[in-house]
């Protein structure tokens, strides 16, 4: 512990100030979540008569039920449930495939010590920062050519490919630190590169796999733009359906239903975050550059 | 042929080439295609009648583009400075062996797990004058209280700043905290011996020594600024009027809604150039470090 002065040696006033600031900040960070949670269980009457910050007169799960199964997006009133199913169906295979692709490519890059391997790294690093806008339209055209634009496999393909620089980089940095003897021993016994990767390297990569899987899960689950453009109407992810429900302001807007819908969309990634805090934090610095 | 193929499978180069073909096509091929489109006057569909840099000139005359760029600069500066300050303060305070550090960290970081769509909706509700903070304060008796930035064309941009800082300050905190924890304990001993006030020690000694840490924070935040799309869509949808439009949204709108491919392409290429320009010093130092 190298800290300059810690709470045990601090004067009382400073200590109070420190905790006061931290608690105030915690409130700032928690406020939106608290407001949304409270209002999602509030009857409409309470919302009409008071502000969002007032406590509910009674707790009702009606808004959750409506958000789940009967809120409207345009003419379709089946709630956010189809969006949730679509998000799961898109996210799960996308995460699995992009973890495998990133691991394989990252391992190959780490193994391959050619002169211009460094230049390939540069291409990947730049790829992390390319705004999607500079790729979107040609990608639409190419996917149309492949016959998968606005389809289930189309959106998965886009998530995997657009995620490649990032998954590759994370795995490559991990595999550079793995002793070469492991791969060499496998090769001596006649295992191919792919064989070595599958039965020797992958099993020792659990940590990095978890880190990448969590970040890809968060990123893909939370994606809006790619889903909107590439998924097609039958596969719209939850984020897109949520905005449709909220912006569908025919008749009286129902903030409590909207908030219940927003929570439903946020719960899966929040659960993953709370369960996997350490891994989430580990990948976060690299993860944040994506999207 | 099969023999050749089998031999290649022993080598990582095969995998690397396959993956880089995909990256080359979908990243760099798309960028090239977008650039070519930006030199034409394509509107609804790509047509390759070249007009040089006319679209770029056109952009400079486009009021919405100019407003978007100014907004991005204002938003970007405030967001980056705000996140750096709040994140650093939180990191400094958490670096004092306080009780409940883990809980505070969890609270400051959880917004990163939530999608920008839900973030935007949450803050939109909180800042909505008719139901949010303004309504609450009025309920408590201050009838004339006004906090209607969300609906004021010259203020709405600041609501985006608030929401973005809320989401990203935790990222800065965690990166800076890691940096602080790796500061040499002897340095603190020396500082204490010299009797320098703690705040001066941070400003004049500790933080200047952590320049690379802040550099990577800034790179991450800048790339978020340039690509900012989801938050705007969920929170203000560019309004009131065009007061919170930004380049990423400009490009998407002109690609997919307004069907002006060449103008959208030019806008995207400018976004890309800006990203690379911001990134250049960082990439340069990364490469220098490796050699």
């Amino acid at each position: 512990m190298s800290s300059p002065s810690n709470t045990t040696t601090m004067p009382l006033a400073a200590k109070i100030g420190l905790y006061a600031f931290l608690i105030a900040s915690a409130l700032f960070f928690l406020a939106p979540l608290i407001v949304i949670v409270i209002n999602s269980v509030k009857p409409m009457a309470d919302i009409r008569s008071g502000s969002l910050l007032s406590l509910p007169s009674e707790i009702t799960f009606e808004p959750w039920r409506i958000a789940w199964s009967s809120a409207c997006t345009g003419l379709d009133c089946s709630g956010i449930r189809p969006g949730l199913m679509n998000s799961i169906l898109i996210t799960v295979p996308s995460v699995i495939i992009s973890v495998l692709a990133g691991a394989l490519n990252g391992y190959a890059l780490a193994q391959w010590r050619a002169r211009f391997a460094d230049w390939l790294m540069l291409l990947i690093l730049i790829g992390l920062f390319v705004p999607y806008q500079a790729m979107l339209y040609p990608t639409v055209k190419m996917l149309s050519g492949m016959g998968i634009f606005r389809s289930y496999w189309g959106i998965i393909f886009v998530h995997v490919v657009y995620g490649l620089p990032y998954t590759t980089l994370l795995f490559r940095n991990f595999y550079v630190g793995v002793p070469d003897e492991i791969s060499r021993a496998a090769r001596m016994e006649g295992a191919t590169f792919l064989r070595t990767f599958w039965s020797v390297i992958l099993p020792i990569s659990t940590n990095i796999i978890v880190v990448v899987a969590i970040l890809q899960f968060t990123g893909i689950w939370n994606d809006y733009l790619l889903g909107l453009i590439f998924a097609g109407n039958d596969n719209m992810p939850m984020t897109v359906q949520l905005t449709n429900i909220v912006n569908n302001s025919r008749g009286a807007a129902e903030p409590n239903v909207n908030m219940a819908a927003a929570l439903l969309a946020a719960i899966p990634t929040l659960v993953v975050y709370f369960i996997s805090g350490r891994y989430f934090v580990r990948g976060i610095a690299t993860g944040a550059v994506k999207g | 042929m099969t023999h050749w193929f089998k031999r290649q499978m022993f080598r990582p180069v095969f995998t690397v080439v396959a993956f880089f073909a995909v990256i080359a096509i979908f990243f760099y091929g798309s960028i090239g295609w977008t650039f070519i489109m930006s030199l034409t006057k394509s509107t609804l569909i790509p047509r390759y009648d070249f007009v040089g840099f006319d679209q770029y000139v056109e952009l400079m005359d486009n009021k919405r583009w100019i407003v978007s760029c100014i907004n991005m600069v204002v938003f970007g500066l405030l967001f980056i400075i705000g996140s750096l300050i709040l994140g650093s303060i939180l990191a400094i305070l958490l670096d004092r062996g306080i009780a409940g550090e883990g809980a505070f960290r969890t609270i400051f970081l959880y917004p990163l797990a939530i999608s920008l769509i839900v973030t935007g909706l949450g803050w939109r509700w909180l800042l909505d004058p008719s139901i949010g903070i303004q309504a609450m304060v009025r309920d408590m008796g201050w009838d004339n209280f006004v906090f209607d930035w969300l609906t004021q064309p010259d203020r709405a941009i600041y609501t985006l700043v608030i929401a973005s800082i809320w989401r990203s300050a935790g990222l800065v905190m965690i990166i800076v905290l890691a940096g602080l924890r790796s500061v040499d304990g002897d340095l603190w001993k020396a500082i204490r011996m010299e009797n320098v006030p703690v705040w001066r020690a941070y400003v004049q000694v500790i933080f200047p020594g952590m320049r690379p840490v802040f550099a990577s924070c800034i790179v991450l935040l800048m790339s978020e600024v340039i690509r900012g799309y989801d938050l705007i869509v969920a929170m203000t949808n560019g309004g009131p009027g065009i007061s919170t439009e930004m380049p990423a949204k400009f490009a998407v709108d002109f690609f997919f809604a307004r069907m002006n491919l060449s103008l959208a392409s030019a806008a995207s290429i400018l976004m890309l150039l800006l990203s690379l320009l911001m990134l250049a010093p960082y990439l340069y130092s990364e490469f220098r470090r490796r050699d």
Side-chain angles (χ1 to χ4, degrees):
Chain A
M1 198 66 184
S2 59
S3 71
S5 55
N6 61 37
T7 42
T8 46
T9 60
M10 214 178 267
L12 185 64
K15 210 155 140 183
I16 291 173
L18 182 144
Y19 278 103
F21 188 88
L22 283 176
I23 290 168
S25 305
L27 281 177
F28 167 68
F29 283 96
L30 285 173
L33 187 64
I34 295 173
V35 168
I36 293 179
V37 169
I38 289 178
N39 286 280
S40 73
V41 294
K42 221 187 237 182
M44 246 339 262
D46 282 13
I47 291 187
R48 280 197 206 94
S49 65
S51 73
L52 292 181
L53 285 294
S54 57
L55 285 174
S57 61
E58 56 164 329
I59 288 177
T60 164
F61 287 97
E62 188 62 11
W64 283 73
R65 201 191 54 75
I66 297 174
W68 177 243
S69 57
S70 64
C72 299
T73 63
L75 293 174
D76 175 32
C77 292
S78 44
I80 205 164
R81 191 174 40 186
L84 179 87
M85 282 316 294
N86 289 340
S87 280
I88 293 173
L89 288 175
I90 291 170
T91 307
V92 172
S94 300
V95 169
I96 295 173
I97 299 172
S98 65
V99 163
L100 286 176
L104 181 57
N105 196 21
Y107 175 59
L109 258 182
Q111 282 286 298
W112 194 51
R113 304 267 153 76
R115 274 280 280 308
F116 58 95
D118 260 3
W119 289 102
L120 294 184
M121 281 306 295
L122 181 67
L123 285 182
I124 284 192
L125 220 53
I126 291 176
L128 281 178
F129 291 89
V130 174
Y132 286 169
Q133 281 75 5
M135 302 152 52
L136 279 178
Y137 193 79
T139 307
V140 167
K141 283 290 173 194
M142 288 190 255
L143 261 59
S144 299
M146 295 158 67
I148 53 173
F149 177 52
R150 289 187 163 272
S151 76
Y152 176 63
W153 289 106
I155 179 66
I156 292 178
F157 182 83
V158 170
H159 278 310
V160 172
V161 170
Y162 278 21
L164 260 185
Y166 154 73
T167 50
T168 301
L169 193 71
L170 282 171
F171 276 106
R172 187 254 181 203
N173 291 346
F174 174 82
Y175 289 133
V176 162
V178 171
D180 209 29
E181 283 70 38
I182 297 177
S183 312
R184 215 175 298 150
R187 216 174 307 144
M188 296 278 243
E189 289 181 21
T192 61
F193 171 73
L194 286 180
R195 180 90 227 158
T196 311
F197 168 73
W198 185 257
S199 16
V200 181
I201 297 300
L202 264 194
I204 59 166
S205 320
T206 342
N207 275 345
I208 187 73
I209 289 176
V210 173
V211 168
V212 176
I214 287 170
L215 286 166
Q216 279 297 82
F217 176 84
T218 314
I220 295 172
W221 186 274
N222 288 341
D223 158 71
Y224 172 80
L225 179 58
L226 299 182
L228 183 68
I229 294 172
F230 293 100
N233 287 333
D234 295 337
N235 310 300
M236 280 301 172
M238 209 164 182
T239 43
V240 177
Q241 275 203 329
L242 173 66
T243 26
N244 287 343
I245 286 177
V246 172
N247 292 334
N248 176 49
S249 48
R250 292 180 310 127
E254 296 187 323
N256 52 355
V257 172
N258 291 341
M259 292 185 193
L263 275 179
L264 283 167
I267 282 174
T269 48
L270 278 179
V271 168
V272 168
Y273 167 67
F274 285 118
I275 292 176
S276 68
R278 195 166 53 88
Y279 288 102
F280 187 88
V281 169
R282 259 183 54 186
I284 224 169
T286 331
V289 303
K290 184 178 149 283
Chain B
M1 183 66 201
T2 40
H3 187 71
W4 177 87
F5 189 75
K6 232 177 148 182
R7 212 174 55 226
Q8 295 310 307
M9 299 301 273
F10 282 94
R11 303 173 57 198
V13 62
F14 180 80
T15 311
V16 172
V17 168
F19 277 107
F20 271 89
V22 172
I23 291 178
I25 292 169
F26 281 91
F27 280 75
Y28 296 96
S30 293
I31 292 169
W33 193 342
T34 305
F35 177 64
I36 289 171
M37 280 197 304
S38 77
L39 302 176
T40 68
K41 19 176 217 194
S42 314
T43 49
L44 204 63
I45 50 163
R47 292 214 328 255
Y48 299 98
D49 36 7
F50 292 97
V51 293
F53 288 90
D54 281 9
Q55 300 301 341
Y56 296 86
V57 178
E58 186 93 351
L59 273 179
M60 299 310 145
D61 268 342
N62 187 308
K63 184 170 174 235
R64 189 174 148 187
W65 172 255
I66 300 296
V67 170
S68 299
C69 290
I70 295 171
N71 280 342
M72 183 175 69
V73 173
V74 172
F75 166 81
L77 281 177
L78 292 175
F79 160 61
I80 291 175
I81 293 171
S83 303
L84 286 178
I85 292 177
L86 181 57
S88 305
I89 292 177
L90 293 176
I92 290 175
L93 297 185
L94 283 188
D95 192 26
R96 287 197 152 49
I98 58 148
E101 185 198 317
F104 280 118
R105 270 166 57 145
T106 306
I107 291 171
F108 299 151
L109 268 176
Y110 88 90
L112 278 177
I114 295 180
S115 64
L116 283 161
I117 292 291
V118 173
T119 302
L121 292 176
W123 281 98
R124 177 167 124 195
W125 292 322
L126 265 179
L127 299 176
D128 182 335
S130 60
I131 54 173
I133 293 173
Q134 174 176 310
M136 174 197 68
V137 178
R138 286 187 181 184
D139 272 2
M140 296 192 314
W142 286 278
D143 287 338
N144 299 320
F145 179 79
V146 177
F147 185 47
D148 57 355
W149 288 6
L150 195 62
T151 55
Q152 295 298 322
D154 56 338
R155 293 284 155 78
I157 190 93
Y158 304 124
T159 63
L160 291 174
V161 173
I162 295 173
S164 309
I165 291 178
W166 177 80
R167 190 158 186 279
S168 296
L171 175 71
V172 175
M173 177 214 59
I174 205 75
I175 298 176
V176 173
L177 188 57
L180 286 176
R181 297 249 151 110
S182 58
V183 169
D184 192 353
D186 290 343
L187 189 55
W188 277 115
K189 246 179 247 159
I191 288 169
R192 219 163 305 157
M193 226 111 85
E194 296 282 327
N195 239 339
V196 182
V198 176
W199 68 269
R200 270 191 57 192
Y202 276 111
V203 174
Q204 296 183 334
V205 184
I206 303 295
F207 282 166
M210 284 169 48
R211 255 197 308 249
V213 171
F214 287 103
S216 47
C217 286
I218 292 173
V219 167
L220 292 179
L221 297 176
M222 264 187 322
S223 111
E224 261 180 70
V225 170
I226 296 171
R227 293 188 287 193
Y229 175 81
D230 296 9
L231 186 75
I232 305 171
V233 167
M235 206 165 155
T236 64
N237 205 19
I242 57 167
S243 61
T244 53
E245 290 290 346
M246 284 195 219
K249 185 163 173 296
F250 181 98
V252 173
D253 286 356
F254 277 78
F255 268 127
F256 297 103
R258 296 184 163 217
M259 296 299 182
N260 189 335
L261 291 184
S262 48
L263 197 67
S265 299
S268 307
I269 293 299
L270 289 181
M271 284 173 62
L272 174 66
L273 287 180
L274 184 66
S275 304
L276 294 184
L277 208 68
M278 303 281 194
L279 201 57
Y282 176 76
L283 286 180
Y284 182 71
S285 65
E286 277 281 294
F287 255 61
R288 284 284 297 275
R289 202 160 46 98
R290 203 168 299 143
D291 287 346

